[in-house]
Amino acid sequence: MAQPRRGPHRILGTLSAVLTSLLIAAPVLLTTPASAAAARVSAVTAASTVKVGSVVVVTGQLSTHAVGKTVVLQRNNGKTWVTAARAKTVTGGRYTVSVRAPRAAATWLLRASMTGSTHAVSTVLHLRVVKTAFAVEAEALSPVTAGEAVVVTGRVTPKAMGSVGLQALNGSVWTTVATAKLSKASTFTLRSVRPTGRPVLRVTKAYTKAVAAGTSARLSVTVAAPPPSITTSALPTATAGLPYTTRMSVAGGVAPYTWSLAFGGLPPGLALSGDGQISGVPGAAGSPTLTVTVTDAVGRQASRPMILSVVLSPVAGNTLSSWGHNSRGELGIGSTVNTAIAVPVPGLTGVTAVAGGGNNGYARRFDGTVWAWGYNGFGEVGNGTTTDTALPVKVKGLAGVTAVAGGTYAGYALRSDGTVWAWGYNRHGELGNGATVDSSVPVQVSGLTSVVAIGAGQNAAYAVRSDGSAWAWGSNDLGQLGDGTTTTRGTPVRLTGLPAVVAVAAGGETAYALGANGTVWAWGYNNLGELGNGTTVDSLSPVQVSGVTGATAIAASLESGYALAGDGTEWSWGDNGNGQLGDGTTTDRHLPVKVLGLSGVTAIAAGGSEAGYALRFDGTVSAWGYNGQGQLGDATTTNHYSPAPVDGLTGVVAIGGGNASGFGLAVLSG
């Protein structure tokens, strides 16, 4: 029903409030009660503002796509809904129905429904019937960068004065976000700030002297990401000779991104990948300046100058010295002559850790590589041959190594990824790869991940995982694997009956574990009290070493065990025939005794041929026990039953001892 005509003074007060609710577009579907068979009706008009007396065309569709159904177009007369027109559905359930607008300006409500259904009713169409229908043409700049204004331009015809409003659709409600006055040519420029998401806009025009209005078509605006910006402000310092990895970061832009160097060059050994990662091993110190550029998926770029500093490692100058037995070149000094004093190992610098094998030496360099020397009859040097070498050679195929260990005829390395690698003798499964074939190059120990510590003894090896569990593999004839059996294992088996473990060590056929709680545990051969539990009975499973608490490190020689206490003292037990327990006697001990005269000890080691070593806080080394080949390093071959200084060694940062033949190793600070 047509509304009473109102004068201009009434229109001014109501037009602004009415436009927002009246100019809502029509294509919204009515939700019907839950029923799989319930039909739904859609309805839409070409415009929400129409001229008085004009023909209004309503189109829509039945959700059931039924053909030949009757759709009724109804108008509201102010009290009830009355039928204004009918139409039959055609292919796809579509329909078209026309009705003439009232002859007076009004707010007109229409809806469509399907006969025979009380639920199939469209949403209500709100139409503004006006004397003059303005045509509003509008165009929006798109895409718009996030955070920037949306600019909409256009014109109104016929010419009009006054203003236009920019509205944004928020759910089902249109909200005015900007207004602008019309120019003399009836053109306009509207600007809204900081749009979010993907806004839908429209422009509305209301005339204040007569009943007239108009609305533009909807404008969809794409909001683009802001230009890329490199957020990496500085590059971490690299160390010459050490693996280096860092990744650039970017904000804004459109992924994917491509990185490149716009100016300067990276230090030799490093490279920038397209995904923004700088990686490699820098070869020399320096601080080159470079400019990196990132390009986003739509071609926008950002650049930033940076400095990548490469410094020398503080351990790059570390050297290695050795002394003692040398018949197979195990001292690495280029000869096979024993020496009773420490002599430098030539050609090897940057050493951070050492270990002795049966007749071999192993060193880890700061760059994560491993070097070996000495006897090589089973490939224990790991260089792909079985030829002895009296000088260090690089073990093949190893990088990122964090720890080394030496067995009687095999070498072991722990990599930073938590895997363990082994090479050399394998007749008892010492390499842990499930085979019994020797290997002159490293092979991966099967099934071990997240390893944090390793150790090796006579034809057996051991590992500790990050969860505190201990694992063992290899020969087991005397229970040295600690798994409760005497069955040889070609792959690692987990030990039971231990607390959380942080370190392992082995000498001959006895092995030791250091608990995180400071206790020490032992298993295997016990003929001379090697288990430290007061007996001489072998054990196939771990037993606790008596009386040792607060231990921080362990070591083992052929038939003796050693523990470093938290107060800097050292304790020992087992075979003492050559004074290797350092208690001033040659009496075997089935329970731990204190090594005489030692304090401030920071690291311990042991030689396979019955010698003990201690590194003190002042960088000096003491040794005791058997000295037949000069393994005590005091320029004599006389045994010592208590510790005596190794001649000429200062600034020592790490020590090691030979597993079978007697020799000592010391890393000297550079």
Side-chain angles (χ1 to χ4, degrees):
M1 182 177 72
Q3 299 295 318
R5 190 174 299 202
R6 297 174 181 172
H9 64 286
R10 298 293 301 277
I11 296 174
L12 275 173
T14 60
L15 188 55
S16 176
V18 170
L19 279 176
T20 296
S21 63
L22 294 187
L23 299 180
I24 299 178
V28 182
L29 300 181
L30 178 69
T31 301
T32 63
S35 170
R40 297 187 303 276
V41 182
S42 66
V44 64
T45 58
S48 58
T49 302
V50 297
K51 192 174 180 179
V52 294
S54 63
V55 175
V56 176
V57 179
V58 178
T59 60
Q61 187 176 21
L62 291 182
S63 62
T64 59
H65 294 185
V67 176
K69 296 293 184 179
T70 300
V71 174
V72 177
L73 183 65
Q74 298 174 312
R75 62 180 176 82
N76 191 283
N77 64 8
K79 295 181 179 180
T80 185
W81 291 94
V82 297
T83 299
R86 298 172 182 269
K88 292 286 188 179
T89 58
V90 295
T91 304
R94 293 185 294 273
Y95 70 90
T96 301
V97 62
S98 301
V99 65
R100 188 170 296 278
R103 293 292 179 177
T107 299
W108 204 29
L109 306 181
L110 299 175
R111 73 181 187 183
S113 63
M114 189 180 76
T115 58
S117 172
T118 59
H119 301 302
V121 181
S122 75
T123 53
V124 176
L125 307 180
H126 293 69
L127 278 74
R128 178 68 171 170
V129 182
V130 295
K131 288 183 177 180
T132 302
F134 287 120
V136 182
E137 300 173 2
E139 182 179 8
L141 180 65
S142 180
V144 177
T145 301
E148 297 181 355
V150 175
V151 178
V152 180
T153 57
R155 69 169 47 246
V156 173
T157 54
K159 284 188 177 182
M161 300 298 290
S163 62
V164 291
L166 181 64
Q167 296 182 325
L169 183 61
N170 181 13
S172 61
V173 178
W174 289 97
T175 304
T176 299
V177 294
T179 59
K181 288 187 177 298
L182 287 167
S183 70
K184 291 181 180 180
S186 202
T187 60
F188 59 83
T189 299
L190 288 152
R191 185 184 299 269
S192 73
V193 296
R194 299 185 180 179
T196 59
R198 184 184 177 95
V200 175
L201 306 174
R202 72 181 185 184
V203 179
T204 64
K205 165 60 183 164
Y207 196 59
T208 59
K209 292 182 179 180
V211 182
T215 305
S216 74
R218 295 187 182 195
L219 307 172
S220 292
V221 177
T222 299
V223 179
S229 173
I230 297 174
T231 55
T232 302
S233 58
L235 296 173
T237 298
T239 301
L242 288 182
Y244 177 86
T245 299
T246 189
R247 187 174 292 279
M248 311 293 293
S249 59
V250 60
V254 179
Y257 307 97
T258 302
W259 294 82
S260 60
L261 279 178
F263 174 79
L266 289 166
L270 296 180
L272 172 65
S273 63
D275 63 357
Q277 179 171 287
I278 299 175
S279 59
V281 180
S287 297
T289 299
L290 53 135
T291 298
V292 293
T293 295
V294 64
T295 305
D296 75 357
V298 295
R300 295 177 296 177
Q301 291 186 330
S303 297
R304 187 163 192 164
M306 296 186 184
I307 295 176
L308 204 169
S309 297
V310 182
V311 299
L312 289 174
S313 168
V315 299
N318 284 5
T319 59
L320 179 65
S321 290
S322 58
W323 62 95
H325 191 268
N326 194 32
S327 65
R328 307 307 292 262
E330 51 264 57
L331 298 186
I333 59 176
S335 74
T336 55
V337 178
N338 298 345
T339 174
I341 58 172
V343 295
V345 175
L348 194 58
T349 58
V351 179
T352 59
V354 288
N359 296 97
N360 305 92
Y362 300 96
R364 175 201 178 270
R365 292 190 73 239
F366 74 99
D367 61 1
T369 59
V370 177
W371 297 69
W373 55 93
Y375 181 60
N376 196 29
F378 302 104
E380 47 266 77
V381 169
N383 65 342
T385 76
T386 53
T387 303
D388 296 355
T389 174
L391 290 171
V393 295
K394 189 176 182 179
V395 176
K396 284 191 172 183
L398 286 181
V401 172
T402 60
V404 289
T408 305
Y409 298 110
Y412 301 87
L414 169 60
R415 292 185 58 184
S416 57
D417 62 2
T419 60
V420 180
W421 297 72
W423 58 97
Y425 190 66
N426 196 30
R427 310 298 168 81
H428 305 93
E430 292 91 330
L431 304 189
N433 63 343
T436 54
V437 178
D438 304 342
S439 179
S440 60
V441 294
V443 296
Q444 186 173 352
V445 176
S446 299
L448 281 182
T449 58
S450 302
V451 175
V452 296
I454 55 175
Q458 184 170 315
N459 301 326
Y462 308 86
V464 178
R465 296 187 63 199
S466 58
D467 61 1
S469 60
W471 299 70
W473 61 96
S475 180
N476 196 27
D477 55 331
L478 293 172
Q480 57 265 46
L481 298 189
D483 67 343
T485 76
T486 56
T487 303
T488 294
R489 307 287 185 177
T491 56
V493 59
R494 182 173 182 171
L495 281 69
T496 58
L498 286 171
V501 173
V502 295
V504 283
E509 293 160 317
T510 310
Y512 303 91
L514 172 62
N517 59 3
T519 58
V520 179
W521 299 71
W523 58 93
Y525 189 57
N526 193 32
N527 186 53
L528 299 172
E530 293 93 323
L531 301 187
N533 66 342
T535 76
T536 56
V537 178
D538 300 347
S539 179
L540 305 182
S541 300
V543 296
Q544 187 172 351
V545 175
S546 299
V548 177
T549 59
T552 60
I554 53 176
S557 66
L558 189 62
E559 294 174 321
S560 308
Y562 303 84
L564 173 61
D567 62 0
T569 60
E570 186 172 354
W571 297 73
S572 58
W573 59 95
D575 182 21
N576 196 29
N578 287 296
Q580 58 265 46
L581 300 188
D583 66 343
T585 76
T586 57
T587 303
D588 298 343
R589 305 291 186 176
H590 303 163
L591 293 170
V593 294
K594 190 175 183 179
V595 178
L596 296 178
L598 283 182
S599 62
V601 177
T602 59
I604 59 176
S609 62
E610 305 172 345
Y613 303 97
L615 170 62
R616 298 186 68 244
F617 72 95
D618 60 2
T620 61
V621 179
S622 294
W624 59 95
Y626 184 63
N627 197 27
Q629 288 84 38
Q631 47 264 65
L632 302 187
D634 67 343
T636 76
T637 54
T638 303
N639 296 350
H640 290 287
Y641 304 150
S642 59
V646 176
D647 285 359
L649 284 183
T650 58
V652 176
V653 295
I655 56 175
N659 187 296
S661 64
F663 62 96
L665 301 165
V667 178
L668 282 66
S669 171

